[in-house]
Amino acid sequence: MQEPPAEAATTLSLITPSGASIEASSTSLQPATYQALLDRGWRRYSLDGDSSGTFLYKPDCRNACCPNYTIRLDAGDFRPTRDLRSTVNAWNRYISGPDYREKAARLCPLSREEKKWRKNNFDLLTAIHETEAIRIQRPTDPKTGEEIKPAHEFQVYLEPDSYSEEKYAVFKDYQYHVHNEGPDEVSKAGFKRFLCSGMGQSERVCKGQRQKLGSYHQCYQIDGRLVAVGVLDLLPNCVSSVYLFYHRDVQDWYFGKLSSLREIALTTEGNYQYYYMGYYVHSCQKMRYKNQYHPSEMLDLETYSWSRVDAEFLARLSARHYVSMTIERKLQLPPRKLTDVDKLRMDDEGLRELREYQQQVEADTESAFASRMPGIMALDELEREIDLGRWRLKHPEYNEVHLDDLHVWNLMDIRDPSSLKHIIAELAAALGPSLVSQFILALGFG
């Protein structure tokens, strides 16, 4: 499998904006292109209904009820907390079993130096693979001549995001017992669209080793039985976590934590560098666990730079609806709610910028330009930097044309929020010049 050539274009279908987001879809999304989208605050999601392809959306963090921030971890700098270390160690004890541990310790004793090192250190890559069937030691009992086996056979393997009845059975159990969904809410077709229809698989050479790219399932088996599946996008610079589902029989072992640690290990071992944990929503208690993986960073949508997530940053998220560290530093805002005294110290220009920073609008009644959606080009900037009329367009009769080849193109007003030209401009502004050049736009031609 080979990565498609860099010049290969991806077809992008326009979706009319609805609510606090800009949306599109693609049936030919490539890993390198999706990496660039992630780094501009986009995420993918499988389409509903009978549609095929990948749904792409970029939320409006200023005007949405719950801002969604892209969060990532530099896997090479990751240091697991005591709680995470305890989770791995407890799992390894369960897989090996007390009888195996007692006999293995007697037959394969650690040296004094090894015992001292293990007492004072924790190596994630060693611990995470310790009880895998292909790694665990199997000493021979000198009395019986038989191989000493662990209590359970534990296997982890990576495969394309294909459908199987076994995977669907685990997914169904997870949705029923963890998300409390009913039988009418879970279907094979929905499972296939949701978690088995990502990007195609390919490979490249990175730092002298083969590196997988595309959408995959990381499968977990105990004693030959599938118990959990992590859905992953493997991209040029990251492992992006999409979803995890597991059988209720293993829910007491904190499989969310275990799978995250394994995915971080995969990030390191596969030379992906960063582990992307999806969106972080500060107001959602269920997502607070993501800020416990240190050192993590959140994407600043104003400049597409990354800000370290620390106690001060989290305090700012608690104090304000929307946070950009670029603006926070420029205005010298404190990591707490602003007081009248704070505002009295600001000059007129600072107060004006503060009002713009904090002001929200009804996102579903305004265009993205009018709502000042973070991370998109202003309309004037777009007209200077992107020749929108030269955006390539997929055409049913002529294969590929440009937007300004359409006779109606120059008749449309780009500043009219109801016009197709304005809606296309919003999409281009959210993508930026580089990504616009990589996509071929698709419109519905009746």
Side-chain angles (χ1 to χ4, degrees):
M1 294 183 291
Q2 298 294 326
E3 171 71 353
E7 66 272 18
T10 298
T11 300
L12 188 71
S13 298
L14 182 69
I15 297 177
T16 302
S18 60
S21 66
I22 290 179
E23 303 161 0
S25 68
S26 174
T27 56
S28 55
L29 190 63
Q30 300 296 335
T33 304
Y34 186 48
Q35 177 76 65
L37 285 166
L38 280 183
D39 291 337
R40 290 184 67 86
W42 292 76
R43 288 288 288 178
R44 78 168 182 89
Y45 193 88
S46 296
L47 290 166
D48 294 327
D50 296 325
S51 303
S52 61
T54 297
F55 170 65
L56 299 164
Y57 65 105
K58 178 182 173 68
D60 182 346
C61 286
R62 176 181 284 112
N63 299 300
C65 62
C66 303
N68 291 244
Y69 300 95
T70 300
I71 184 170
R72 74 180 187 183
L73 169 77
D74 190 330
D77 293 334
F78 174 62
R79 297 295 179 269
T81 61
R82 177 181 294 180
D83 174 63
L84 293 173
R85 297 195 300 269
S86 296
T87 299
V88 176
N89 291 334
W91 175 256
N92 286 340
R93 288 193 296 271
Y94 166 69
I95 292 297
S96 59
D99 185 59
Y100 169 87
R101 290 197 304 277
E102 186 274 326
K103 292 179 179 178
R106 176 167 43 85
L107 296 172
C108 304
L110 296 175
S111 67
R112 181 178 299 176
E113 290 75 17
E114 288 174 319
K115 289 180 180 179
K116 182 178 179 181
W117 191 92
R118 286 199 174 194
K119 182 179 180 180
N120 299 312
N121 298 276
F122 179 88
D123 181 72
L124 176 62
L125 300 187
T126 299
I128 210 72
H129 295 300
E130 185 176 306
T131 54
E132 288 179 9
I134 60 172
R135 301 282 187 97
I136 195 167
Q137 289 184 317
R138 296 174 186 270
T140 300
D141 190 323
K143 295 182 179 179
T144 64
E146 295 181 353
E147 183 182 81
I148 298 174
K149 297 180 180 180
H152 303 282
E153 289 283 311
F154 178 49
Q155 293 180 298
V156 183
Y157 55 92
L158 200 63
E159 66 177 31
D161 63 338
S162 58
Y163 173 85
S164 74
E165 289 290 329
E166 191 177 24
K167 291 176 186 176
Y168 178 60
V170 177
F171 173 77
K172 188 164 57 174
D173 183 87
Y174 179 77
Q175 298 301 116
Y176 286 174
H177 298 282
V178 177
H179 287 290
N180 298 314
E181 292 186 354
D184 58 333
E185 298 176 278
V186 182
S187 69
K188 289 183 180 181
F191 172 64
K192 290 177 182 179
R193 285 193 303 270
F194 181 32
L195 298 173
C196 305
S197 61
M199 293 170 285
Q201 293 75 38
S202 58
E203 287 186 356
R204 69 172 186 173
V205 176
C206 178
K207 298 182 180 179
Q209 73 177 60
R210 304 298 296 180
Q211 185 185 62
K212 296 181 184 295
L213 297 173
S215 299
Y216 288 83
H217 287 165
Q218 183 148 272
C219 302
Y220 301 80
Q221 277 190 345
I222 299 178
D223 300 327
R225 173 192 171 206
L226 185 71
V227 295
V229 177
V231 185
L232 306 174
D233 288 332
L234 306 184
L235 307 177
N237 299 318
C238 78
V239 170
S240 176
S241 179
V242 179
Y243 199 70
L244 169 74
F245 56 95
Y246 50 82
H247 197 278
R248 65 184 183 277
D249 288 351
V250 297
Q251 68 180 14
D252 290 341
W253 296 104
Y254 303 103
F255 237 86
K257 296 176 182 178
L258 286 171
S259 65
S260 292
L261 293 173
R262 284 203 159 263
E263 289 159 14
I264 293 168
L266 173 63
T267 304
T268 300
E269 294 167 331
N271 290 320
Y272 296 101
Q273 186 175 2
Y274 292 107
Y275 176 55
Y276 281 54
M277 295 175 274
Y279 284 135
Y280 174 80
V281 181
H282 190 64
S283 60
C284 178
Q285 288 294 330
K286 290 183 178 181
M287 288 201 181
R288 292 288 179 95
Y289 75 92
K290 295 183 180 183
N291 65 45
Q292 297 173 8
Y293 291 81
H294 305 293
S296 58
E297 304 172 311
M298 284 193 201
L299 183 64
D300 189 326
L301 292 171
E302 302 293 338
T303 56
Y304 293 119
S305 58
W306 295 89
S307 300
R308 180 62 60 92
V309 178
D310 53 20
E312 180 184 312
F313 186 88
L314 295 173
R316 293 177 189 274
L317 290 177
S318 296
R320 284 177 270 288
H321 176 77
Y322 164 67
V323 170
S324 160
M325 284 306 299
T326 301
I327 298 176
E328 297 270 324
R329 293 190 186 102
K330 181 182 179 182
L331 298 180
Q332 298 182 351
L333 302 182
R336 53 171 171 76
K337 290 186 177 181
L338 297 177
T339 65
D340 291 339
V341 174
D342 294 323
K343 295 176 183 179
L344 285 172
R345 292 171 179 168
M346 302 177 73
D347 58 23
D348 290 343
E349 180 63 17
L351 287 171
R352 183 190 64 78
E353 292 184 16
L354 178 64
R355 283 194 296 271
E356 289 185 355
Y357 176 41
Q358 296 186 319
Q359 185 180 20
Q360 292 178 260
V361 300
E362 293 293 333
D364 57 349
T365 61
E366 296 277 359
S367 78
F369 296 116
S371 67
R372 296 177 298 103
M373 179 178 178
I376 73 166
M377 305 169 72
L379 188 51
D380 290 342
E381 180 187 9
L382 179 139
E383 291 182 298
R384 288 194 307 270
E385 297 190 17
I386 298 178
D387 187 351
L388 203 59
R390 303 310 295 168
W391 196 349
R392 290 176 295 169
L393 177 68
K394 187 175 181 180
H395 194 280
E397 294 182 24
Y398 307 107
N399 190 25
E400 185 180 316
V401 297
H402 295 98
L403 285 170
D404 58 11
D405 291 326
L406 303 177
H407 73 277
V408 297
W409 180 254
N410 291 323
L411 300 178
M412 292 186 285
D413 182 2
I414 196 171
R415 298 184 182 278
D416 177 4
S418 65
S419 75
L420 178 62
K421 182 182 283 190
H422 185 94
I423 295 171
I424 292 174
E426 287 181 320
L427 177 59
L431 292 171
S434 178
L435 278 169
V436 166
S437 68
Q438 296 179 41
F439 283 112
I440 296 177
L441 192 61
L443 302 175
F445 291 91

